[in-house]
Amino acid sequence: MSDIAPFHGFGLGLRRAHYTDFLEGAVPVDFVEVISENYMVEGGKPLRVLEQVRAKHPVILHGVSMSIGSAHGLDENYLARLKALAGRIEPLWVSDHLCWTRTSAHNSHDLLPLPLTNDALDIVCDNIDRAQEALGRAMLLENPSSYMTFPNDEMTEWNFLAAIVRRTGCYLLLDVNNVYVSAQNHGFDTTEYIAGLPLERVRQIHLAGHTPGAIVIDTHDREVCEEVWALYAEAIALCGPVATMVERDDRIPALPELLAELDRARAVAATGFGISA
């Protein structure tokens, strides 16, 4: 299993609303990220579009239903289809979330939380080992947004993630919006969270918007807020040059609005690296 080399660049999620922009023009991004499951098929328009975009830009495959925390193990058919897509697209890397989504008989289509216990850690590590073996490549694992904790938790989420990295050799996708959302919901310190991660294994950072309230919800339906920009500045200064992406999955605006946010990410990162934007 080969290492994942750092890739410094700024990208967007490829969404249907912007297919024409990417196909007909020169979009100033360094990469695009796609939801893997939308393209794990034999053919069809989305896959054709992705192949055309791939001719212009590097692509990251970002999954939402591998169910890395499933006590039933991983779906071998899912892994085979993901491997076929990776072989076709040759992505920068493949990523998924620290969560579970299904039982042996039901797929929730939600990113469900895990208890932070040693038993759960064993299951997650076994599943990541299996996924990396099946794919023939190392993966990135994303920290989740969460809205509840378990009374039997035995460690912090950042310690849980650090243990996963040590045991499996996987890499991290650091979603700073998810850190902020979970910190607001559970009361932990965001600086302590980020400092507790093996930052040398971070290869990508996500930025996104959320819905504030008594419980903060990770909705990806609005601009990045000032508090998350501040947390990004803190994180990128510690991680150094890694890939940064702005996510928008609902109420998707015209492309120039997202590109403006991406320009802000470039400026924040440049300041963190101590260079001129």
Side-chain angles (χ1 to χ4, degrees):
M1 184 177 65
S2 60
D3 292 335
I4 297 177
F7 178 89
H8 174 45
F10 297 86
L12 294 175
L14 178 63
R15 302 297 181 256
R16 187 180 298 272
H18 301 139
Y19 277 179
T20 300
D21 297 282
F22 277 92
L23 292 177
E24 296 183 357
V27 180
V29 297
D30 301 307
F31 66 90
V32 298
E33 182 185 273
V34 300
I35 303 301
S36 304
E37 289 80 1
N38 291 340
Y39 303 90
M40 288 164 53
V41 293
E42 291 297 325
K45 180 179 178 180
L47 186 57
R48 289 197 303 272
V49 169
L50 179 57
E51 290 177 327
Q52 290 174 270
V53 173
R54 176 65 183 89
K56 297 181 177 182
H57 302 285
V59 169
I60 292 167
L61 298 180
H62 184 55
V64 295
S65 60
M66 185 177 287
S67 196
I68 211 73
S70 174
H72 297 277
L74 302 184
D75 183 325
E76 295 296 327
N77 178 262
Y78 177 95
L79 291 177
R81 289 187 293 124
L82 180 57
K83 182 177 182 179
L85 177 63
R88 191 168 191 163
I89 298 302
E90 298 181 349
L92 283 171
W93 50 72
V94 176
S95 62
D96 211 292
H97 300 77
L98 178 63
C99 70
W100 63 283
T101 62
R102 62 175 178 80
T103 66
S104 58
H106 176 70
N107 192 330
S108 72
H109 301 288
D110 284 314
L111 308 179
L112 301 173
L114 292 168
L116 302 177
T117 63
N118 284 296
D119 286 345
L121 178 63
D122 289 341
I123 289 169
V124 169
C125 290
D126 285 347
N127 286 340
I128 292 176
D129 284 342
R130 175 63 192 125
Q132 293 185 143
E133 176 188 15
L135 296 173
R137 64 173 69 225
M139 289 181 55
L140 269 62
L141 186 66
E142 178 180 343
N143 58 292
S145 54
S146 63
Y147 313 103
M148 60 171 286
T149 58
F150 293 85
N152 60 333
D153 282 350
E154 298 170 353
M155 64 194 85
T156 64
E157 187 173 278
W158 53 94
N159 286 336
F160 195 87
L161 285 162
I164 291 170
V165 171
R166 285 196 304 270
R167 287 175 53 174
T168 69
C170 75
Y171 291 80
L172 292 177
L173 193 175
L174 173 57
D175 190 314
V176 293
N177 183 63
N178 287 355
V179 173
Y180 177 82
V181 166
S182 296
Q184 292 298 301
N185 291 334
H186 306 314
F188 62 74
D189 182 78
T190 56
T191 296
E192 183 180 2
Y193 186 111
I194 291 174
L197 296 173
L199 296 175
E200 73 282 359
R201 303 295 284 188
V202 174
R203 290 292 179 267
Q204 186 180 0
I205 292 178
H206 272 179
L207 294 165
H210 57 262
T211 300
I215 298 177
V216 182
I217 307 296
D218 179 36
T219 48
H220 295 187
D221 64 350
R222 61 196 69 198
E223 68 278 357
V224 179
C225 73
E226 292 301 319
E227 292 82 2
V228 171
W229 281 119
L231 188 58
Y232 173 61
E234 181 181 333
I236 199 70
L238 292 171
C239 293
V242 298
T244 295
M245 196 195 95
V246 174
E247 285 187 291
R248 188 71 70 91
D249 294 313
D250 200 6
R251 297 168 59 189
I252 297 174
L255 189 60
E257 182 176 328
L258 294 180
L259 291 173
E261 283 197 291
L262 205 59
D263 283 340
R264 182 168 180 180
R266 289 186 178 97
V268 171
T271 300
F273 304 150
I275 60 177
S276 176

